[in-house]
Amino acid sequence: MTIVQRSFGDASVISPAGRIDHENCDAFRAELTPRVEASTRAGQAIVLDMSGMEYVSSAGLRCFMLAAREAKERNSRILVAAMQPVVAEIFQISRFNLVFEVFPTLLEALASVSPDAAAAFGRA
């Protein structure tokens, strides 16, 4: 599991890749938490680019839930974009698609944040 972070205007895109399960959930949470904190302090919305995620277990879903709670407490939001079919099915079954704003593409999620974020993505 790896995480890459990029900024596009007033959006912070966090791109986890691989699998998140009980074996690496704590490491994922340790990587994700400071990124969420820094993004919310900077006033950025957070977009999780899930295009590289192969699988998310219930332990991984818990990590996402905790991140969403933290962002909400800081008056920010987390959007989810570009899920692979398996991960999208897991989100639907667990009803996480009701917890997060879900978008089919990263560009659509960024456009939901702001026109500046979408434009910055288009220039990248």
Side-chain angles (χ1 to χ4, degrees), residues 10-13 39 43-47 76-79 113:
D10 53 351
S12 177
V13 175
S39 297
Q44 294 179 309
I46 299 154
V47 178
S76 188
R77 64 185 186 156
I78 297 180
L79 301 84
V113 171

Side-chain angles (χ1 to χ4, degrees), residues 7 20-22 25-26 42 60-61 65 69 71-72 78-79 83-84 86 97 104 107-109 111 115 122 124:
S7 288
I20 301 175
D21 54 30
H22 70 280
C25 180
D26 290 337
L61 290 174
M65 178 63 76
R69 184 178 300 152
K72 186 176 180 179
I78 297 180
L79 301 84
M83 287 189 281
Q84 296 294 324
V86 169
N97 59 326
L107 180 58
E108 289 174 89

Side-chain angles (χ1 to χ4, degrees), residues 68-117:
R69 184 178 300 152
E70 182 174 323
K72 186 176 180 179
E73 288 172 0
R74 295 173 179 262
N75 295 319
S76 188
R77 64 185 186 156
I78 297 180
L79 301 84
V80 176
M83 287 189 281
Q84 296 294 324
V86 169
V87 176
E89 183 177 1
I90 292 166
F91 263 63
Q92 281 186 319
I93 290 169
S94 63
R95 304 182 71 101
F96 268 58
N97 59 326
L98 302 175
V99 174
F100 293 95
E101 294 176 74
V102 178
F103 296 87
T105 67
L106 180 55
L107 180 58
E108 289 174 89
L110 290 169
S112 173
V113 171
S114 74
D116 291 339

Side-chain angles (χ1 to χ4, degrees), residues 39-52:
S39 297
T40 56
R41 272 195 310 274
Q44 294 179 309
I46 299 154
V47 178
L48 292 173
D49 173 7
M50 302 288 276
S51 61

